[in-house]
């Protein structure tokens, strides 16, 4: 879980950088605050520092959950991470955030903005998976029939 939280925290950095870079490429009329900023502005009055702290904190929290289930094989972990990142996007933006009134459904967002956010979450998951896929696997134990009963 700790490794997962760290992977989520670390993965939020490239995710945030890509979000900022792609946000600059949106048409002018679509360059209103990104969802993390919208949510923080609505709940706390906002600010860049509060937004970054909340975004990295949520990334660490989601990473902790992913870390508990992530495979240890690198390729499987990257693929699973991307699926998990997509699940974070859909579960948050199309799920609990609209359900509790913190944000509108993504169906009201322009396609390019939704694509930006989906791509950023896929990247988050790929990086988290890459990190977690490097963990060593569990040490295999000898079958019970071959173990020395005095050492069991």
């Amino acid at each position: 879980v700790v490794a997962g939280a760290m992977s989520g925290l670390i993965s939020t950095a490239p995710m945030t950088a890509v979000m900022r870079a792609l946000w600059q490429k949106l048409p002018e009329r679509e360059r209103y605050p990104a969802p993390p900023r919208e949510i923080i502005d609505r709940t706390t009055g906002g600010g860049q520092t509060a937004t970054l702290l909340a975004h990295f904190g949520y990334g660490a929290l989601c990473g902790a959950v992913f870390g508990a289930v992530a495979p240890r094989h690198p390729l499987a972990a990257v693929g699973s991470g991307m699926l998990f990142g997509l699940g974070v996007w859909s579960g948050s933006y199309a799920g609990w955030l609209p359900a509790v009134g913190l944000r509108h459904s993504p169906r009201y967002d322009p396609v390019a903005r939704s694509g930006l956010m989906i791509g950023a979450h896929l990247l988050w998951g790929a990086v988290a998976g890459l990190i977690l896929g490097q963990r060593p696997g569990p040490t295999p134990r000898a079958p019970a029939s071959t173990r020395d009963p005095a050492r069991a």
Side-chain angles (χ1 to χ4, degrees):
V1 172
V2 172
M6 290 305 297
S7 76
L9 183 71
I10 293 166
S11 300
T12 304
M15 174 194 197
T16 302
V18 165
M19 286 171 60
R20 286 182 174 181
L22 293 178
W23 183 87
Q24 292 292 329
K25 298 193 179 298
L26 290 172
E28 184 78 32
R29 68 186 176 280
E30 295 179 18
R31 282 193 227 149
Y32 47 90
R37 181 65 178 261
E38 289 177 327
I39 295 162
I40 294 303
D41 285 350
R42 177 172 282 179
T43 58
T44 68
Q48 183 173 357
T49 301
T51 300
L52 288 172
L53 287 172
H55 195 228
F56 277 80
Y58 193 64
L61 176 67
C62 292
V65 174
F66 179 55
V69 298
R72 291 180 187 266
H73 183 274
L75 188 57
V78 169
S80 296
M82 292 175 74
L83 288 172
F84 192 87
L86 188 57
V88 169
W89 177 84
S90 61
S92 299
Y93 290 103
W96 75 267
L97 289 168
V100 300
L102 287 178
R103 188 169 194 283
H104 61 268
S105 168
R107 70 176 167 231
Y108 301 112
D109 286 328
V111 172
R113 280 181 64 95
S114 290
L116 180 160
M117 296 307 297
I118 290 169
H121 283 81
L122 289 169
L123 175 64
W124 177 90
V127 174
L130 186 64
I131 293 167
L132 290 170
Q134 303 303 312
R135 296 174 297 169
T139 305
R141 291 189 59 164
S145 61
T146 62
R147 274 191 248 143
D148 180 358
R151 295 179 180 244

